[in-house]
């Protein structure tokens, strides 16, 4: 059964309701913060990631933020920002940023659903999966730049390459 078959009608379906159903389906820990916001924890290979999805009816956008803690030593911030720019050049489905004050690495994406469009459950599931995969892909590079003397170029070489096709 596909994810879409779990929903009888998509006409009046709130995007956060879809996310909540996906969290239950995948057995992720979640908290429905408000009607328009949900927070979840998703376990990756390297660590757990905190995800927050928020629906903004004003601009008809489903915002996703995926974070993990990171506190690089003071002398490594310039290298980390250089690496972030390089990582962002390699991805199309979102972008990394570093929130120094909160000590968080952040993956951000906004899905615009103007004109009453509705995101399919598979689309939202893919959105969440892409966020976690981006964090998993670049996490080793972030660690190398933050905690060793690796250059951003060298650290990026350990990033898991995106696979195309199938075996």
């Amino acid at each position: 059964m596909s994810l879409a078959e779990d929903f009888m009608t998509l006409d009046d379906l709130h995007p956060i309701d879809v996310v909540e159903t996906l969290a239950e389906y995948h057995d992720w820990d979640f908290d429905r913060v408000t009607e328009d916001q949900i927070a979840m924890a998703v376990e990756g290979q390297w660590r757990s990631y905190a995800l927050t999805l928020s629906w903004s009816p004003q601009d008809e956008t489903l915002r996703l933020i995926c974070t993990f803690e990171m506190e690089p030593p003071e002398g490594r911030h310039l290298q980390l920002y250089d690496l972030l720019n390089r990582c962002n050049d390699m991805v199309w489905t979102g972008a990394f940023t570093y929130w120094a004050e909160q000590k968080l690495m952040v993956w951000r994406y906004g899905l615009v659903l103007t004109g009453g469009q509705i995101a399919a459950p598979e689309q939202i599931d893919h959105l969440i999966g892409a966020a976690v995969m981006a964090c998993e892909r670049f996490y080793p590079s972030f660690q190398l730049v933050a905690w060793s003397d690796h250059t951003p170029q060298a650290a990026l070489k350990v990033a898991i390459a995106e696979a195309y096709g199938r075996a």
Side-chain angles (χ1 to χ4, degrees), residues 71-114:
E71 190 173 352
E74 283 301 317
R76 298 301 292 173
H77 282 88
L78 289 177
Q79 292 86 348
L80 182 63
Y81 292 134
D82 181 5
L83 178 61
L84 285 174
N85 286 332
R86 293 170 188 274
C87 292
N88 287 336
D89 282 345
M90 298 174 67
V91 294
W92 286 64
T93 59
F96 285 104
T97 188
Y98 180 66
W99 293 350
E101 197 170 300
Q102 293 85 0
K103 299 178 175 108
L104 290 175
M105 185 62 68
V106 180
W107 172 261
R108 300 186 311 175
Y109 184 79
L111 178 62
V112 179
L113 298 168
T114 57

Side-chain angles (χ1 to χ4, degrees), residues 39-100:
M40 335 184 259
V42 176
E43 201 60 43
Q45 175 184 349
W46 298 110
R47 61 177 310 126
S48 289
Y49 301 99
L51 283 93
T52 301
L53 286 97
S54 301
W55 171 246
S56 173
Q58 292 79 17
D59 60 3
E60 299 177 289
T61 301
L62 180 63
R63 292 186 177 98
L64 176 142
I65 295 176
C66 181
T67 65
F68 58 91
E69 292 178 0
M70 178 163 244
E71 190 173 352
E74 283 301 317
R76 298 301 292 173
H77 282 88
L78 289 177
Q79 292 86 348
L80 182 63
Y81 292 134
D82 181 5
L83 178 61
L84 285 174
N85 286 332
R86 293 170 188 274
C87 292
N88 287 336
D89 282 345
M90 298 174 67
V91 294
W92 286 64
T93 59
F96 285 104
T97 188
Y98 180 66
W99 293 350

